[in-house]
Amino acid sequence: MREKLLRRPRDLLLIFEILAIVLVFYTYDGQLDRQFLFLAGGLIFVIYISNFILGKITTGDNYIFLIVSLLLTIGVTTIFRIDPETGIKQLQWAFIGVLFFYATYFIVRILPNLERFGSLALAVSVALFLATLIFGKTVGGARNWLNLGFIVFQPTEFIKILLMFILGGFYANYEKYTRFPYASYIILAVIYFFVLLLFIQRDLGTAVLFMAMYLAIQFIYDPDIKAFFVNLGLLAVGSVAGFFLFGHVRTRVNIWLNPWEDVYNAGRQVVQSLFAIAEGGFFGAGIGFGHPELIPVSVSDFIFPVICEEMGLFAGFAVILLYLLLVYRGIKIALEQEYKFYRMLAISATVLISVQAFLNIGGVIKLIPMTGITLPFMSYGGSSILSSFIALGILQVASEDLSWKYEKSTEPEEAKNMGEIS
């Protein structure tokens, strides 16, 4: 019965992916090279088989990967429409991302006592931060890229994942820290040390994501309510300080307030984004009939207005709805998970994906100032795709019944019981 329920969504996803490839094919008058057709066919096969295999091997949620598959397909199709060469690279990253999803799923599922690895995650995070500060490369005003020769990546994309284990490890073992007079301020100091490093790197968008995950976990699990309000106060002070210390932050706020003052320079991105969304109307101009070349950074930060222009506002609403469904499934997973540590992992992963989507879409429609954050599973970028799939793999594990991992565990009973909210 369960297999029959899952088969129809998989079949609909397969039809959707084939139609997307056919549309791209006709957009280029059938002049697509064999590499694209091979990769596109391979991606369709991998996604369909992955959803089929997942239905067999997991006892958890079978819909989050389906939702992400739709987002990934729309993203790849749009990127290839904008720039075929970049689209082929995104296809390759999508393959690797699926592999990372399964690798993460099996590693996190099999390894015991992951809540004890918080200190290791902290050490690795600090090492990555220091390596970025010393050897990092500045792109777009932020020193957040690391070049290892054979690969260039953003370490903060993976520190976000490590932060889940740092937070989970701390609050899952909170009783061990109560011997200190101000236990809750230990993790507070760690988070603000990370935020300070991000300020030095001028990567304030990632700092917002860090604070969002910490605020969510702290609000639910920290027994010291004073520490929560101290955090809110420091966050307010930090926001004001960021505005006055960094010129690009003031520029983004000014663009948000009135992009028409400098429509040909600083405000061009937002203005072109709004024009593209308005030009598409409800049904869109059609794939291949828009003007994504007018929108700066359209393959990554500003992919959403391209979708709205060529596929219409209805497609934009559909993308937002898919993210809302993913968030709903993530919250449902967190509520149903019995074990405290994995509940926190589910909450962190859900907050990470949802806030990242909100910051991107909110920025391009002028709801909030731009942050330079990419749209999860849709924007071009290897580091972003891989970290998003790792977070999804963690969420997949958290959706399962993990009682078999704790049958011989000495974890305190209160850490196991569901619904423990401070």
Side-chain angles (χ1 to χ4, degrees):
M1 183 64 182
R2 185 168 178 266
E3 175 60 29
K4 289 182 179 179
L5 290 174
L6 291 172
R7 182 174 178 180
R8 181 172 293 180
R10 283 203 308 266
D11 292 342
L12 290 174
L13 174 63
L14 178 62
I15 294 171
F16 176 82
E17 290 175 334
I18 293 173
L19 288 175
I21 298 303
V22 170
L23 281 172
V24 173
F25 184 78
Y26 278 102
T27 298
Y28 286 87
D29 299 321
Q31 301 299 316
L32 296 180
D33 58 23
R34 293 181 180 179
Q35 184 183 12
F36 170 78
L37 295 177
F38 175 77
L39 288 172
L43 181 64
I44 292 173
F45 176 78
V46 167
I47 288 178
Y48 185 84
I49 294 299
S50 295
N51 280 283
F52 176 79
I53 293 173
L54 201 61
K56 299 289 187 181
I57 65 175
T58 182
T59 58
D61 194 294
N62 292 106
Y63 294 101
I64 56 175
F65 194 84
L66 278 168
I67 295 168
V68 166
S69 298
L70 275 171
L71 292 170
L72 186 67
T73 302
I74 297 171
V76 168
T77 303
T78 305
I79 292 171
F80 189 89
R81 148 72 190 111
I82 299 169
D83 181 6
E85 185 177 345
T86 305
I88 289 176
K89 291 180 182 177
Q90 184 73 347
L91 275 170
Q92 295 170 343
W93 282 118
F95 278 115
I96 300 172
V98 173
L99 293 177
F100 268 61
F101 166 80
Y102 276 103
T104 303
Y105 170 76
F106 285 114
I107 292 172
V108 175
R109 188 174 186 272
I110 293 171
L111 286 180
N113 302 318
L114 282 175
E115 56 269 31
R116 299 178 183 176
F117 286 82
S119 299
L120 177 61
L122 175 60
V124 174
S125 299
V126 172
L128 287 173
F129 266 127
L130 294 178
T132 307
L133 288 173
I134 298 171
F135 305 107
K137 178 182 177 184
T138 302
V139 177
R143 190 181 181 87
N144 56 358
W145 291 84
L146 199 59
N147 189 347
L148 299 181
F150 60 93
I151 188 172
V152 180
F153 70 102
Q154 286 182 281
T156 52
E157 291 289 343
F158 301 100
I159 298 175
K160 290 186 298 189
I161 306 299
L162 294 172
L163 183 61
M164 298 182 192
F165 292 91
I166 295 171
L167 292 171
F170 179 83
Y171 284 108
N173 299 286
Y174 187 82
E175 294 79 9
K176 297 179 181 179
Y177 297 96
T178 53
R179 64 179 182 271
F180 298 103
Y182 302 100
S184 297
Y185 296 92
I186 297 173
I187 191 68
L188 183 72
V190 169
I191 298 301
Y192 275 92
F193 174 65
F194 284 0
V195 170
L196 175 63
L197 293 175
L198 289 169
F199 265 61
I200 295 173
Q201 293 180 15
R202 302 169 66 87
D203 189 1
L204 303 188
T206 303
V208 174
L209 294 177
F210 277 43
M211 291 307 305
M213 284 192 286
Y214 175 47
L215 275 171
I217 298 298
Q218 185 188 34
F219 178 74
I220 298 171
Y221 289 105
D222 200 320
D224 189 346
I225 191 65
K226 292 181 182 178
F228 177 74
F229 285 109
V230 168
N231 187 18
L232 288 180
L234 290 173
L235 182 59
V237 172
S239 301
V240 174
F243 177 82
F244 287 103
L245 290 175
F246 300 105
H248 71 285
V249 174
R250 292 194 297 274
T251 300
R252 287 178 177 180
V253 173
N254 292 332
I255 291 170
W256 170 57
L257 294 173
N258 187 7
W260 310 101
E261 284 185 348
D262 194 7
V263 70
Y264 294 108
N265 294 298
R268 183 187 170 203
Q269 284 182 317
V270 174
V271 170
Q272 290 293 350
S273 172
L274 296 175
F275 279 153
I277 294 171
E279 184 68 24
F282 284 106
F283 299 99
I287 296 178
F289 294 96
H291 297 282
E293 69 278 1
L294 299 177
I295 307 173
V297 206
S298 56
V299 296
S300 56
D301 295 7
F302 282 78
I303 192 172
F304 185 76
V306 176
I307 294 170
C308 291
E309 182 183 15
E310 299 204 339
M311 303 181 198
L313 282 173
F314 285 130
F317 294 149
V319 169
I320 295 173
L321 181 60
L322 286 172
Y323 281 112
L324 289 175
L325 285 172
L326 190 58
V327 172
Y328 161 73
R329 302 301 298 187
I331 295 172
K332 186 172 182 289
I333 287 168
L335 290 174
E336 293 180 349
Q337 176 53 243
E338 180 183 3
Y339 294 94
K340 186 176 181 181
F341 175 71
Y342 288 94
R343 263 202 323 270
M344 285 186 278
L345 289 183
I347 294 169
S348 299
T350 303
V351 169
L352 176 62
I353 294 171
S354 60
V355 172
Q356 194 170 334
F358 172 76
L359 290 176
N360 180 274
I361 296 176
V364 301
I365 66 174
K366 211 177 86 65
L367 178 65
I368 58 174
M370 292 183 299
T371 57
I373 296 294
T374 56
L375 195 57
F377 304 107
M378 300 191 75
S379 294
Y380 173 74
S383 301
S384 176
I385 284 287
L386 297 185
S387 65
S388 296
F389 269 108
I390 291 171
L392 189 71
I394 294 170
L395 189 60
Q396 185 67 54
V397 176
S399 70
E400 297 185 356
D401 177 10
L402 299 170
S403 57
W404 59 273
K405 291 187 74 172
Y406 290 95
E407 287 176 354
K408 299 180 180 180
S409 175
T410 58
E411 183 187 22
E413 194 64 29
E414 61 269 17
K416 296 183 181 181
N417 293 334
M418 180 180 171
E420 174 86 9
I421 298 179
S422 300

